[in-house]
Amino acid sequence: MGTVGDAANKDTNGSLAEKKPTVVFVLGGPGSGKGTQCANIVQHFGFTHLSAGDLLRAEQKSGSENGTMIQNMIKEGKIVPSEVTIKLLQKAMEESGNDKFLIDGFPRNEENRAAFETVTQIEPAFVLFFDCSEEEMERRLLSRNEGREDDNIETIRKRFKVFLESSLPVIQHYESRGKVRKIDAGRPIEEVFESVKAIFTPKNEKAE
């Protein structure tokens, strides 16, 4: 972990921040439809979709030293350090060759948010917040139950609680800076995407 590593980190941070990528944080409770809408945004607007959870899972499967450490932390119910997740996000951003990113399910809390800006020197363009009632999210999760063992009612309610307690401060922080684009996610997929499109379409194209 010596100074050589630190110097290398500075290099990658510099190059990524210098490219001035467009980063959009995508937040919403479990079942708010984030994944579906992210897929639509990728298709229509050429963004690269990065899910913090997927990157952590892929790293665990890779069998790397980092992966084993992540696995053990998750097993013990601990939260993976922000730096670890951020490094995975950075690496994925650099390897994608793109300059427009949807970062999904991150930052999960205020500490994540501060660390992301410090480590990457990148501030998000805005936060896309899928606002959906707890009843509706519950209904969706229970009806989709794709064999995910975490889709039972107790676990779902726990996940809502964690989302509210940890993510709301992040949303409030960006709200105070005028950077939150809130979407009513309780509507049908097509309607929600119309609202999403309006946010991502450059102003000059809207007049056409």
Side-chain angles (χ1 to χ4, degrees):
M1 290 300 295
T3 47
V4 180
D6 295 343
N9 286 345
K10 283 200 176 68
D11 272 0
T12 55
N13 292 353
S15 62
L16 192 59
E18 275 155 28
K19 284 184 192 148
K20 298 205 175 5
T22 301
V23 169
V24 175
F25 287 149
V26 183
L27 294 176
S32 59
K34 295 195 313 283
T36 305
Q37 296 303 334
C38 282
N40 285 338
I41 297 165
V42 167
Q43 215 179 336
H44 284 77
F45 299 103
F47 275 70
T48 294
H49 176 210
L50 299 176
S51 154
D54 288 353
L55 288 171
L56 286 166
R57 279 187 284 274
E59 187 69 19
Q60 282 180 64
K61 285 191 186 131
S62 74
S64 71
E65 204 177 311
N66 215 2
T68 311
M69 183 267 291
I70 293 168
Q71 203 164 6
N72 291 337
M73 291 201 75
I74 290 172
K75 240 185 227 150
E76 289 165 24
K78 291 180 182 161
I79 287 176
V80 177
S82 299
E83 273 70 21
V84 173
T85 308
I86 293 163
K87 286 278 183 294
L88 291 175
L89 286 167
Q90 256 182 320
K91 188 166 163 246
M93 286 162 87
E94 278 156 12
E95 288 171 357
S96 75
N98 200 350
D99 63 351
K100 298 190 293 189
F101 302 96
L102 296 171
I103 296 184
D104 172 7
F106 184 92
R108 281 186 180 273
N109 54 38
E110 190 56 16
E111 192 261 335
N112 275 175
R113 179 201 67 71
F116 181 86
E117 291 186 13
T118 306
V119 173
T120 63
Q121 301 293 302
I122 296 167
E123 247 198 77
F126 58 88
V127 174
L128 194 60
F129 174 38
F130 289 100
D131 192 20
C132 194
S133 74
E134 201 166 308
E135 294 75 28
E136 176 59 21
M137 290 194 280
E138 209 169 276
R139 191 186 64 72
R140 288 176 185 179
L141 288 173
L142 289 170
S143 66
R144 79 165 189 204
N145 204 333
E146 301 150 349
R148 280 180 59 165
E149 68 283 357
D150 57 355
D151 278 358
N152 67 56
I153 199 81
E154 280 76 35
T155 320
I156 287 170
R157 291 194 172 143
K158 229 178 266 172
R159 285 164 69 201
F160 288 150
K161 194 166 178 289
V162 168
F163 169 73
L164 282 174
E165 286 171 1
S166 52
S167 298
L168 278 183
V170 176
I171 291 160
Q172 284 159 351
H173 168 85
Y174 287 119
E175 214 153 29
S176 71
R177 311 186 63 162
K179 284 192 167 195
V180 174
R181 309 286 179 271
K182 193 191 270 193
I183 285 184
D184 171 5
R187 298 167 299 158
I189 290 171
E190 295 73 22
E191 281 181 41
V192 173
F193 190 52
E194 283 310 311
S195 303
V196 170
K197 271 202 295 209
I199 289 169
F200 281 87
T201 304
K203 301 265 186 291
N204 52 5
E205 286 178 26
K206 287 184 185 169
E208 288 170 26

